[in-house]
Amino acid sequence: MQRGSVPKDFAGHALDATVRALFRLTWGRARELVRRGKVTVDGSIVNDPVARVRDGAAIVLDLTARRQDPLAKDALVFVDPHVVVVEKPAGVSTVPFDPRGMGASIGKRARPGEEIALDERVRIAVARRGRGQSGASPALGVVHRLDKETSGLVVFTRTWAAKKALMQAFRAHTIHRRYFAIVMGAAKGGILRSNLVPDRGDGLRGSVEKRHGRQRAVGSESTQLAVTHVEVVERLPGRAAGQPCTLVSCRLETGRTHQIRIHLSESGHPVVGDRVYSRDYVRTHGNVLVPAPRLMLHAGELGFVHPTTGREMHWTSPLPNDMQEILDVLRR
């Protein structure tokens, strides 16, 4: 690991030029290391070689740092001065893990060598798109999350007013969100409604109505109403996988942690690839889960009233390749 600081006469220069000079590298090598996430500026990884640096900024070059893949070029679906809508790839956390639970309200950045979460990747992409005059990434507000293994549409805010408006819209359940999931068995459409608790008795989140023992709140135990509207999209024979499955869509009326996964599992049809909420299904049916590389859940639609213009905005996202491949197998 090599350390340095930006000399006064390099203030405002491109990051790759600064790295080249500080660590005596060729232009090509300096640019490559920046793009691969081996360089941090004041503790944050910056992947843009032409990001501008400030006088005295701390530059660290760590050749052993985990490679950080930047956001795909077409991942920014919509960008304006108020909001950013982005296609989240599977396998990337929306925000860094925060044991105090503050990640949804503050932008906690990755430490050197840690995996870059989606919010920071979006900051980098927006900064690169705007070609700002500073190496610092722009402010970004987090108003909702997707699980790490879930893909699809996420919105971030760029102003406090937009964040306040969208957080209120989420609380009022006026944000349109439609997810697509491949689930085990022959699922049925309908409205799934229950009250969720942090621990249903076996260490997992779940519904009071579905837990073993007392099926109502006990003492000061707090519950959260969760409502999911499920529609059958396609029946999947699954002969090649040895198990029938169903492609369903889920419209969220509320947005609780793991709501879709819990509701589908408790209805007897866990999401394919879910290794947490499939315990009851395995106990009932045996170890017959359809193998999948990750949770087969995709946020395919997102819509809301723009917090500044008042316009109705709506975006759709097609199923990613890994879900299409599982569907092709299950259709046989």
mmCIF file with all atom_site columns, all heavy atoms in Angstrom, residues 239-257:
data_model
loop_
_atom_site.group_PDB
_atom_site.id
_atom_site.type_symbol
_atom_site.label_atom_id
_atom_site.label_alt_id
_atom_site.label_comp_id
_atom_site.label_asym_id
_atom_site.label_entity_id
_atom_site.label_seq_id
_atom_site.pdbx_PDB_ins_code
_atom_site.Cartn_x
_atom_site.Cartn_y
_atom_site.Cartn_z
_atom_site.occupancy
_atom_site.B_iso_or_equiv
_atom_site.pdbx_formal_charge
_atom_site.auth_seq_id
_atom_site.auth_comp_id
_atom_site.auth_asym_id
_atom_site.auth_atom_id
_atom_site.pdbx_PDB_model_num
ATOM 1   N N   . ARG A 1 239 ? -40.494 -29.798 -15.601 1.00 0.00 ? 239 ARG A N   1
ATOM 2   C CA  . ARG A 1 239 ? -40.158 -31.225 -15.682 1.00 0.00 ? 239 ARG A CA  1
ATOM 3   C C   . ARG A 1 239 ? -38.648 -31.449 -15.684 1.00 0.00 ? 239 ARG A C   1
ATOM 4   O O   . ARG A 1 239 ? -38.156 -32.416 -15.100 1.00 0.00 ? 239 ARG A O   1
ATOM 5   C CB  . ARG A 1 239 ? -40.804 -31.835 -16.927 1.00 0.00 ? 239 ARG A CB  1
ATOM 6   C CG  . ARG A 1 239 ? -42.320 -32.025 -16.796 1.00 0.00 ? 239 ARG A CG  1
ATOM 7   C CD  . ARG A 1 239 ? -42.906 -32.685 -18.022 1.00 0.00 ? 239 ARG A CD  1
ATOM 8   N NE  . ARG A 1 239 ? -42.948 -31.768 -19.158 1.00 0.00 ? 239 ARG A NE  1
ATOM 9   C CZ  . ARG A 1 239 ? -43.962 -30.967 -19.440 1.00 0.00 ? 239 ARG A CZ  1
ATOM 10  N NH1 . ARG A 1 239 ? -45.030 -30.945 -18.657 1.00 0.00 ? 239 ARG A NH1 1
ATOM 11  N NH2 . ARG A 1 239 ? -43.920 -30.166 -20.491 1.00 0.00 ? 239 ARG A NH2 1
ATOM 12  N N   . ALA A 1 240 ? -37.916 -30.553 -16.353 1.00 0.00 ? 240 ALA A N   1
ATOM 13  C CA  . ALA A 1 240 ? -36.467 -30.704 -16.405 1.00 0.00 ? 240 ALA A CA  1
ATOM 14  C C   . ALA A 1 240 ? -35.831 -30.505 -15.032 1.00 0.00 ? 240 ALA A C   1
ATOM 15  O O   . ALA A 1 240 ? -34.759 -31.041 -14.745 1.00 0.00 ? 240 ALA A O   1
ATOM 16  C CB  . ALA A 1 240 ? -35.867 -29.703 -17.409 1.00 0.00 ? 240 ALA A CB  1
ATOM 17  N N   . ALA A 1 241 ? -36.506 -29.738 -14.165 1.00 0.00 ? 241 ALA A N   1
ATOM 18  C CA  . ALA A 1 241 ? -35.984 -29.480 -12.823 1.00 0.00 ? 241 ALA A CA  1
ATOM 19  C C   . ALA A 1 241 ? -36.605 -30.394 -11.784 1.00 0.00 ? 241 ALA A C   1
ATOM 20  O O   . ALA A 1 241 ? -36.213 -30.376 -10.613 1.00 0.00 ? 241 ALA A O   1
ATOM 21  C CB  . ALA A 1 241 ? -36.224 -28.015 -12.438 1.00 0.00 ? 241 ALA A CB  1
ATOM 22  N N   . GLY A 1 242 ? -37.596 -31.197 -12.197 1.00 0.00 ? 242 GLY A N   1
ATOM 23  C CA  . GLY A 1 242 ? -38.252 -32.119 -11.278 1.00 0.00 ? 242 GLY A CA  1
ATOM 24  C C   . GLY A 1 242 ? -39.234 -31.472 -10.334 1.00 0.00 ? 242 GLY A C   1
ATOM 25  O O   . GLY A 1 242 ? -39.614 -32.072 -9.318  1.00 0.00 ? 242 GLY A O   1
ATOM 26  N N   . GLN A 1 243 ? -39.690 -30.263 -10.649 1.00 0.00 ? 243 GLN A N   1
ATOM 27  C CA  . GLN A 1 243 ? -40.591 -29.555 -9.748  1.00 0.00 ? 243 GLN A CA  1
ATOM 28  C C   . GLN A 1 243 ? -41.304 -28.442 -10.509 1.00 0.00 ? 243 GLN A C   1
ATOM 29  O O   . GLN A 1 243 ? -40.662 -27.618 -11.175 1.00 0.00 ? 243 GLN A O   1
ATOM 30  C CB  . GLN A 1 243 ? -39.784 -28.929 -8.604  1.00 0.00 ? 243 GLN A CB  1
ATOM 31  C CG  . GLN A 1 243 ? -40.616 -28.261 -7.532  1.00 0.00 ? 243 GLN A CG  1
ATOM 32  C CD  . GLN A 1 243 ? -41.286 -29.252 -6.610  1.00 0.00 ? 243 GLN A CD  1
ATOM 33  O OE1 . GLN A 1 243 ? -42.281 -28.940 -5.970  1.00 0.00 ? 243 GLN A OE1 1
ATOM 34  N NE2 . GLN A 1 243 ? -40.750 -30.454 -6.531  1.00 0.00 ? 243 GLN A NE2 1
ATOM 35  N N   . PRO A 1 244 ? -42.645 -28.399 -10.468 1.00 0.00 ? 244 PRO A N   1
ATOM 36  C CA  . PRO A 1 244 ? -43.348 -27.284 -11.107 1.00 0.00 ? 244 PRO A CA  1
ATOM 37  C C   . PRO A 1 244 ? -43.089 -25.976 -10.361 1.00 0.00 ? 244 PRO A C   1
ATOM 38  O O   . PRO A 1 244 ? -42.881 -25.973 -9.141  1.00 0.00 ? 244 PRO A O   1
ATOM 39  C CB  . PRO A 1 244 ? -44.814 -27.697 -11.019 1.00 0.00 ? 244 PRO A CB  1
ATOM 40  C CG  . PRO A 1 244 ? -44.880 -28.597 -9.834  1.00 0.00 ? 244 PRO A CG  1
ATOM 41  C CD  . PRO A 1 244 ? -43.570 -29.341 -9.814  1.00 0.00 ? 244 PRO A CD  1
ATOM 42  N N   . CYS A 1 245 ? -43.109 -24.892 -11.086 1.00 0.00 ? 245 CYS A N   1
ATOM 43  C CA  . CYS A 1 245 ? -42.896 -23.579 -10.492 1.00 0.00 ? 245 CYS A CA  1
ATOM 44  C C   . CYS A 1 245 ? -43.870 -22.585 -11.116 1.00 0.00 ? 245 CYS A C   1
ATOM 45  O O   . CYS A 1 245 ? -44.626 -22.928 -12.029 1.00 0.00 ? 245 CYS A O   1
ATOM 46  C CB  . CYS A 1 245 ? -41.451 -23.111 -10.703 1.00 0.00 ? 245 CYS A CB  1
ATOM 47  S SG  . CYS A 1 245 ? -40.217 -24.077 -9.791  1.00 0.00 ? 245 CYS A SG  1
ATOM 48  N N   . THR A 1 246 ? -43.856 -21.353 -10.639 1.00 0.00 ? 246 THR A N   1
ATOM 49  C CA  . THR A 1 246 ? -44.749 -20.319 -11.137 1.00 0.00 ? 246 THR A CA  1
ATOM 50  C C   . THR A 1 246 ? -44.008 -18.995 -11.202 1.00 0.00 ? 246 THR A C   1
ATOM 51  O O   . THR A 1 246 ? -43.260 -18.648 -10.275 1.00 0.00 ? 246 THR A O   1
ATOM 52  C CB  . THR A 1 246 ? -45.973 -20.144 -10.211 1.00 0.00 ? 246 THR A CB  1
ATOM 53  O OG1 . THR A 1 246 ? -46.557 -21.427 -9.943  1.00 0.00 ? 246 THR A OG1 1
ATOM 54  C CG2 . THR A 1 246 ? -47.017 -19.247 -10.853 1.00 0.00 ? 246 THR A CG2 1
ATOM 55  N N   . LEU A 1 247 ? -44.222 -18.274 -12.298 1.00 0.00 ? 247 LEU A N   1
ATOM 56  C CA  . LEU A 1 247 ? -43.742 -16.890 -12.380 1.00 0.00 ? 247 LEU A CA  1
ATOM 57  C C   . LEU A 1 247 ? -44.885 -15.997 -11.913 1.00 0.00 ? 247 LEU A C   1
ATOM 58  O O   . LEU A 1 247 ? -45.981 -16.042 -12.471 1.00 0.00 ? 247 LEU A O   1
ATOM 59  C CB  . LEU A 1 247 ? -43.335 -16.534 -13.812 1.00 0.00 ? 247 LEU A CB  1
ATOM 60  C CG  . LEU A 1 247 ? -42.931 -15.070 -14.050 1.00 0.00 ? 247 LEU A CG  1
ATOM 61  C CD1 . LEU A 1 247 ? -41.676 -14.708 -13.271 1.00 0.00 ? 247 LEU A CD1 1
ATOM 62  C CD2 . LEU A 1 247 ? -42.718 -14.810 -15.550 1.00 0.00 ? 247 LEU A CD2 1
ATOM 63  N N   . VAL A 1 248 ? -44.650 -15.212 -10.874 1.00 0.00 ? 248 VAL A N   1
ATOM 64  C CA  . VAL A 1 248 ? -45.690 -14.346 -10.325 1.00 0.00 ? 248 VAL A CA  1
ATOM 65  C C   . VAL A 1 248 ? -45.214 -12.901 -10.334 1.00 0.00 ? 248 VAL A C   1
ATOM 66  O O   . VAL A 1 248 ? -44.014 -12.619 -10.391 1.00 0.00 ? 248 VAL A O   1
ATOM 67  C CB  . VAL A 1 248 ? -46.070 -14.747 -8.879  1.00 0.00 ? 248 VAL A CB  1
ATOM 68  C CG1 . VAL A 1 248 ? -46.612 -16.167 -8.824  1.00 0.00 ? 248 VAL A CG1 1
ATOM 69  C CG2 . VAL A 1 248 ? -44.882 -14.580 -7.926  1.00 0.00 ? 248 VAL A CG2 1
ATOM 70  N N   . SER A 1 249 ? -46.164 -11.994 -10.280 1.00 0.00 ? 249 SER A N   1
ATOM 71  C CA  . SER A 1 249 ? -45.846 -10.593 -10.049 1.00 0.00 ? 249 SER A CA  1
ATOM 72  C C   . SER A 1 249 ? -46.409 -10.204 -8.694  1.00 0.00 ? 249 SER A C   1
ATOM 73  O O   . SER A 1 249 ? -47.458 -10.703 -8.280  1.00 0.00 ? 249 SER A O   1
ATOM 74  C CB  . SER A 1 249 ? -46.420 -9.695  -11.141 1.00 0.00 ? 249 SER A CB  1
ATOM 75  O OG  . SER A 1 249 ? -47.821 -9.579  -11.024 1.00 0.00 ? 249 SER A OG  1
ATOM 76  N N   . CYS A 1 250 ? -45.698 -9.339  -7.991  1.00 0.00 ? 250 CYS A N   1
ATOM 77  C CA  . CYS A 1 250 ? -46.099 -8.909  -6.657  1.00 0.00 ? 250 CYS A CA  1
ATOM 78  C C   . CYS A 1 250 ? -46.116 -7.385  -6.607  1.00 0.00 ? 250 CYS A C   1
ATOM 79  O O   . CYS A 1 250 ? -45.081 -6.748  -6.830  1.00 0.00 ? 250 CYS A O   1
ATOM 80  C CB  . CYS A 1 250 ? -45.129 -9.433  -5.598  1.00 0.00 ? 250 CYS A CB  1
ATOM 81  S SG  . CYS A 1 250 ? -45.009 -11.227 -5.508  1.00 0.00 ? 250 CYS A SG  1
ATOM 82  N N   . ARG A 1 251 ? -47.280 -6.829  -6.334  1.00 0.00 ? 251 ARG A N   1
ATOM 83  C CA  . ARG A 1 251 ? -47.381 -5.379  -6.164  1.00 0.00 ? 251 ARG A CA  1
ATOM 84  C C   . ARG A 1 251 ? -47.424 -5.086  -4.671  1.00 0.00 ? 251 ARG A C   1
ATOM 85  O O   . ARG A 1 251 ? -48.250 -5.623  -3.940  1.00 0.00 ? 251 ARG A O   1
ATOM 86  C CB  . ARG A 1 251 ? -48.627 -4.826  -6.845  1.00 0.00 ? 251 ARG A CB  1
ATOM 87  C CG  . ARG A 1 251 ? -48.751 -3.305  -6.716  1.00 0.00 ? 251 ARG A CG  1
ATOM 88  C CD  . ARG A 1 251 ? -49.927 -2.771  -7.505  1.00 0.00 ? 251 ARG A CD  1
ATOM 89  N NE  . ARG A 1 251 ? -51.196 -3.285  -7.023  1.00 0.00 ? 251 ARG A NE  1
ATOM 90  C CZ  . ARG A 1 251 ? -51.849 -2.798  -5.969  1.00 0.00 ? 251 ARG A CZ  1
ATOM 91  N NH1 . ARG A 1 251 ? -51.322 -1.810  -5.260  1.00 0.00 ? 251 ARG A NH1 1
ATOM 92  N NH2 . ARG A 1 251 ? -53.008 -3.321  -5.609  1.00 0.00 ? 251 ARG A NH2 1
ATOM 93  N N   . LEU A 1 252 ? -46.506 -4.245  -4.234  1.00 0.00 ? 252 LEU A N   1
ATOM 94  C CA  . LEU A 1 252 ? -46.412 -3.929  -2.819  1.00 0.00 ? 252 LEU A CA  1
ATOM 95  C C   . LEU A 1 252 ? -47.374 -2.812  -2.442  1.00 0.00 ? 252 LEU A C   1
ATOM 96  O O   . LEU A 1 252 ? -47.334 -1.732  -3.034  1.00 0.00 ? 252 LEU A O   1
ATOM 97  C CB  . LEU A 1 252 ? -44.989 -3.496  -2.457  1.00 0.00 ? 252 LEU A CB  1
ATOM 98  C CG  . LEU A 1 252 ? -43.904 -4.572  -2.478  1.00 0.00 ? 252 LEU A CG  1
ATOM 99  C CD1 . LEU A 1 252 ? -42.579 -3.982  -2.054  1.00 0.00 ? 252 LEU A CD1 1
ATOM 100 C CD2 . LEU A 1 252 ? -44.270 -5.737  -1.587  1.00 0.00 ? 252 LEU A CD2 1
ATOM 101 N N   . GLU A 1 253 ? -48.234 -3.098  -1.476  1.00 0.00 ? 253 GLU A N   1
ATOM 102 C CA  . GLU A 1 253 ? -49.057 -2.041  -0.885  1.00 0.00 ? 253 GLU A CA  1
ATOM 103 C C   . GLU A 1 253 ? -48.313 -1.426  0.290   1.00 0.00 ? 253 GLU A C   1
ATOM 104 O O   . GLU A 1 253 ? -48.433 -0.232  0.564   1.00 0.00 ? 253 GLU A O   1
ATOM 105 C CB  . GLU A 1 253 ? -50.401 -2.613  -0.434  1.00 0.00 ? 253 GLU A CB  1
ATOM 106 C CG  . GLU A 1 253 ? -51.387 -1.567  0.039   1.00 0.00 ? 253 GLU A CG  1
ATOM 107 C CD  . GLU A 1 253 ? -52.759 -2.153  0.303   1.00 0.00 ? 253 GLU A CD  1
ATOM 108 O OE1 . GLU A 1 253 ? -53.235 -2.981  -0.508  1.00 0.00 ? 253 GLU A OE1 1
ATOM 109 O OE2 . GLU A 1 253 ? -53.367 -1.769  1.327   1.00 0.00 ? 253 GLU A OE2 1
ATOM 110 N N   . THR A 1 254 ? -47.541 -2.252  0.992   1.00 0.00 ? 254 THR A N   1
ATOM 111 C CA  . THR A 1 254 ? -46.639 -1.779  2.041   1.00 0.00 ? 254 THR A CA  1
ATOM 112 C C   . THR A 1 254 ? -45.234 -2.228  1.654   1.00 0.00 ? 254 THR A C   1
ATOM 113 O O   . THR A 1 254 ? -45.064 -3.048  0.756   1.00 0.00 ? 254 THR A O   1
ATOM 114 C CB  . THR A 1 254 ? -47.021 -2.364  3.409   1.00 0.00 ? 254 THR A CB  1
ATOM 115 O OG1 . THR A 1 254 ? -46.969 -3.802  3.315   1.00 0.00 ? 254 THR A OG1 1
ATOM 116 C CG2 . THR A 1 254 ? -48.415 -1.942  3.818   1.00 0.00 ? 254 THR A CG2 1
ATOM 117 N N   . GLY A 1 255 ? -44.234 -1.726  2.338   1.00 0.00 ? 255 GLY A N   1
ATOM 118 C CA  . GLY A 1 255 ? -42.864 -2.096  2.002   1.00 0.00 ? 255 GLY A CA  1
ATOM 119 C C   . GLY A 1 255 ? -42.067 -2.473  3.228   1.00 0.00 ? 255 GLY A C   1
ATOM 120 O O   . GLY A 1 255 ? -41.295 -1.667  3.747   1.00 0.00 ? 255 GLY A O   1
ATOM 121 N N   . ARG A 1 256 ? -42.248 -3.680  3.700   1.00 0.00 ? 256 ARG A N   1
ATOM 122 C CA  . ARG A 1 256 ? -41.549 -4.151  4.897   1.00 0.00 ? 256 ARG A CA  1
ATOM 123 C C   . ARG A 1 256 ? -40.323 -4.975  4.504   1.00 0.00 ? 256 ARG A C   1
ATOM 124 O O   . ARG A 1 256 ? -40.259 -5.540  3.411   1.00 0.00 ? 256 ARG A O   1
ATOM 125 C CB  . ARG A 1 256 ? -42.477 -5.007  5.768   1.00 0.00 ? 256 ARG A CB  1
ATOM 126 C CG  . ARG A 1 256 ? -43.835 -4.396  6.048   1.00 0.00 ? 256 ARG A CG  1
ATOM 127 C CD  . ARG A 1 256 ? -43.749 -3.023  6.671   1.00 0.00 ? 256 ARG A CD  1
ATOM 128 N NE  . ARG A 1 256 ? -45.077 -2.513  7.027   1.00 0.00 ? 256 ARG A NE  1
ATOM 129 C CZ  . ARG A 1 256 ? -45.306 -1.272  7.410   1.00 0.00 ? 256 ARG A CZ  1
ATOM 130 N NH1 . ARG A 1 256 ? -44.304 -0.390  7.460   1.00 0.00 ? 256 ARG A NH1 1
ATOM 131 N NH2 . ARG A 1 256 ? -46.529 -0.883  7.724   1.00 0.00 ? 256 ARG A NH2 1
ATOM 132 N N   . THR A 1 257 ? -39.385 -5.085  5.428   1.00 0.00 ? 257 THR A N   1
ATOM 133 C CA  . THR A 1 257 ? -38.180 -5.873  5.181   1.00 0.00 ? 257 THR A CA  1
ATOM 134 C C   . THR A 1 257 ? -38.543 -7.318  4.836   1.00 0.00 ? 257 THR A C   1
ATOM 135 O O   . THR A 1 257 ? -39.264 -7.970  5.584   1.00 0.00 ? 257 THR A O   1
ATOM 136 C CB  . THR A 1 257 ? -37.265 -5.849  6.419   1.00 0.00 ? 257 THR A CB  1
ATOM 137 O OG1 . THR A 1 257 ? -36.921 -4.498  6.720   1.00 0.00 ? 257 THR A OG1 1
ATOM 138 C CG2 . THR A 1 257 ? -36.001 -6.658  6.173   1.00 0.00 ? 257 THR A CG2 1
#
